[in-house]
Amino acid sequence: MTTKEDNELLTRVEGEAPMGRMLRQLYWVPAMLSARLEAGGAPVRVQLFGNRYVAYRTHDGRVGFLNEACPHRGVSLALARNEDNALRCIFHGWKICVSGEVLEVPNEASNPECFRKTVKVRHYPAVEGAGLVWVWLGEGEAPAAPNFEWMDLPPDQAYSCGLELNSNWLQGVEATIDSSHIALLHQSHLAHSTMDMAAARVNNAVRYKFEDTPYGYRAAALREATDGQCVARVTEFVMPYYGLIPPINTGDDQDRTVIIAVPVDDTHLIQWYIYYNTRRPTDSMKRAQRANTWPMAGGVCHDPDRAWGQNRMLMQNGNHTGFTEIVVEDFVTQVSMGPIVDRSAEYLCSADQAIIRLRRHLVQAVRKFIANEMPSSAQPEARDYSRITATGGRLKSIEDDWRHLPR
């Protein structure tokens, strides 16, 4: 059981909370869609861990990521002019470049050249990949940027979308690595699906097997089928907030999914989805479907007074949940738990082993961080993500070794 003290340690990310400090210091964060930044265009406000930032793209295409407040008087740099590859505050004209250097202080009469060099501006390393801007928010020298297999794919093979939700970041991570809900929450979609789990008419009860890795763990969700075979779905959990989800069907050319739960503050997160294919362009139909679904999800998921948009007529006509989209089912159940779940009140079962393991990994890591020790998942040897790929498939029996499935 998770204690109230551990729950606070796991969920709080604002200010000097240890978990927030650890996530900012040790791990890169997917912060926003690259497409929102136009070369020479308006800066964009970004909130992460309860802090306010601005991101912008210079005329020559580089991404700058700064604290939102101008170092002079605190005016928002979201109002700044984007000129000559730098931001100029509209209040008193202070000009700041991507590196954080203050280039001009027009209202300083006494030796402005000398004065500008004394001003310290926090700026943050940023890279782009899979249609996202990734930022490192720590102190000192940044670790190597993530090298997942999707980072350098062309736009037609990797793209991202996301939604801000009214729940704590950990609820998002737990929803991602909980494979036991798929055959239950999403059963109406499986009934009309060709995916392996539906075709096999599997047992809803799931057995878990695990393999610890330097970066986190592999969680094999095993379900017995009526023909005696076993349907295996192997999710990769990469510290601290990545869930790599197996394709819906086996096959080397299937699209793959990554879900990343990023803290906005203590009670909000952005749930990022990356869809990618290393062999061919991703499925354009899915792209069109998501484009229509997600704006609607953003509205209904934040309306508890209307049961988050649940349609009881659909339920009477055979729909299990009263929601027509899989992602909405996930979002609504997550948000319905409240802003921060009291995990000390839960009754966990054997199907929750992946959840228990996740919490244990995070608690151990943050306690090491508090003790000024480096967690194993932040060691240099654990940061090579290039060969991490979620997998799935059929086994002859539930006793077969799932680790032999091709990755």
Side-chain angles (χ1 to χ4, degrees):
M1 184 179 75
T2 302
T3 65
K4 287 184 178 291
E5 292 74 19
D6 279 351
N7 199 47
E8 285 289 295
L9 188 62
L10 285 164
T11 57
R12 300 295 178 177
V13 296
E14 296 183 30
E16 292 302 304
M19 182 61 74
R21 289 194 293 115
M22 182 186 77
L23 297 181
R24 295 193 299 269
Q25 183 63 34
L26 300 183
Y27 305 99
W28 284 75
V29 183
M32 64 181 303
L33 291 172
S34 291
R36 295 186 65 193
L37 300 180
E38 179 185 350
V44 176
R45 301 176 79 209
V46 181
Q47 182 172 338
L48 297 166
F49 304 95
N51 299 319
R52 289 288 185 181
Y53 307 94
V54 291
Y56 71 104
R57 192 181 299 281
T58 63
H59 289 76
D60 60 13
R62 292 172 294 154
V63 172
F65 209 95
L66 309 170
N67 284 346
E68 180 181 356
C70 176
H72 178 214
R73 297 274 302 280
V75 169
S76 173
L77 291 175
L79 300 170
R81 297 174 58 85
N82 187 348
E83 60 180 50
D84 301 327
N85 295 317
L87 291 186
R88 186 184 294 278
C89 180
I90 62 170
F91 197 17
H92 293 96
W94 285 30
K95 188 176 181 180
I96 306 166
C97 71
V98 167
S99 68
E101 181 184 2
V102 177
L103 301 177
E104 297 178 15
V105 284
N107 62 333
E108 173 57 48
S110 177
N111 198 348
E113 184 64 19
C114 182
F115 172 75
R116 71 172 181 84
K117 295 178 182 179
T118 68
V119 181
K120 306 298 181 185
V121 178
R122 283 301 309 273
H123 67 285
Y124 305 91
V127 299
E128 296 182 85
L132 291 170
V133 173
W134 304 70
V135 64
W136 183 70
L137 299 172
E139 303 275 353
E141 184 177 353
N147 66 337
F148 290 103
E149 62 180 349
W150 63 76
M151 287 293 284
D152 295 323
L153 291 175
D156 65 342
Q157 289 181 244
Y159 59 96
S160 302
C161 45
L163 190 71
E164 184 172 325
L165 297 172
N166 294 343
S167 75
N168 180 260
W169 77 284
L170 187 57
Q171 286 158 236
V173 183
E174 290 175 343
T176 299
I177 55 94
D178 171 25
S179 194
S180 71
H181 78 271
I182 297 200
L184 297 163
L185 177 66
H186 302 317
Q187 60 186 264
S188 293
H189 301 281
L190 295 184
H192 305 288
S193 171
T194 60
M195 68 183 289
D196 289 341
M197 206 158 63
R201 296 183 181 178
V202 296
N203 190 331
N204 286 335
V206 60
R207 299 186 191 180
Y208 268 111
K209 293 186 179 179
F210 298 92
E211 180 180 45
D212 283 326
T213 63
Y215 52 80
Y217 62 83
R218 306 180 72 207
L222 309 175
R223 294 175 173 87
E224 287 186 283
T226 53
D227 60 4
Q229 292 192 342
C230 170
V231 175
R233 288 176 55 81
V234 184
T235 299
E236 299 271 359
F237 170 65
V238 181
M239 282 281 287
Y241 33 51
Y242 299 91
L244 279 66
I245 312 302
I248 60 172
N249 285 306
T250 55
D252 289 340
D253 68 342
Q254 295 295 304
D255 288 358
R256 298 179 182 276
T257 306
V258 184
I259 309 178
I260 314 169
V262 173
V264 171
D265 54 30
D266 283 347
T267 57
H268 299 82
L269 81 153
I270 294 181
Q271 199 96 332
W272 290 114
Y273 280 65
I274 300 174
Y275 299 90
Y276 74 98
N277 196 309
T278 60
R279 293 173 176 257
R280 61 170 178 80
T282 50
D283 189 337
S284 60
M285 290 300 292
K286 290 181 183 177
R287 185 195 305 246
Q289 183 183 34
R290 279 191 300 276
N292 293 329
T293 296
W294 284 39
M296 179 272 292
V300 300
C301 287
H302 298 161
D303 192 357
D305 292 334
R306 292 195 304 117
W308 297 276
Q310 187 180 49
N311 187 329
R312 288 278 165 172
M313 187 64 70
L314 283 177
M315 298 175 77
Q316 292 175 16
N317 291 329
N319 181 289
H320 175 66
T321 64
F323 298 99
T324 58
E325 301 293 343
I326 285 181
V327 290
V328 176
E329 290 175 338
D330 288 326
F331 294 157
V332 166
T333 52
Q334 180 179 320
V335 169
S336 73
M337 298 175 184
I340 301 180
V341 172
D342 179 6
R343 290 169 177 79
S344 69
E346 295 173 327
Y347 287 86
L348 300 183
C349 67
S350 61
D352 297 310
Q353 293 177 67
I355 302 289
I356 295 168
R357 206 176 195 92
L358 161 69
R359 296 174 188 175
R360 186 184 306 137
H361 272 69
L362 286 169
V363 167
Q364 289 173 349
V366 76
R367 285 180 176 160
K368 281 191 172 184
F369 179 77
I370 292 170
N372 293 318
E373 299 176 23
M374 184 68 76
S376 58
S377 62
Q379 300 284 352
E381 60 269 22
R383 292 184 179 274
D384 183 4
Y385 308 134
S386 59
R387 299 192 178 187
I388 303 175
T389 303
T391 189
R394 300 286 292 274
L395 303 173
K396 290 184 178 179
S397 80
I398 203 165
E399 304 303 326
D400 285 358
D401 191 343
W402 60 273
R403 292 171 297 183
H404 293 161
L405 288 169
R407 298 179 71 174

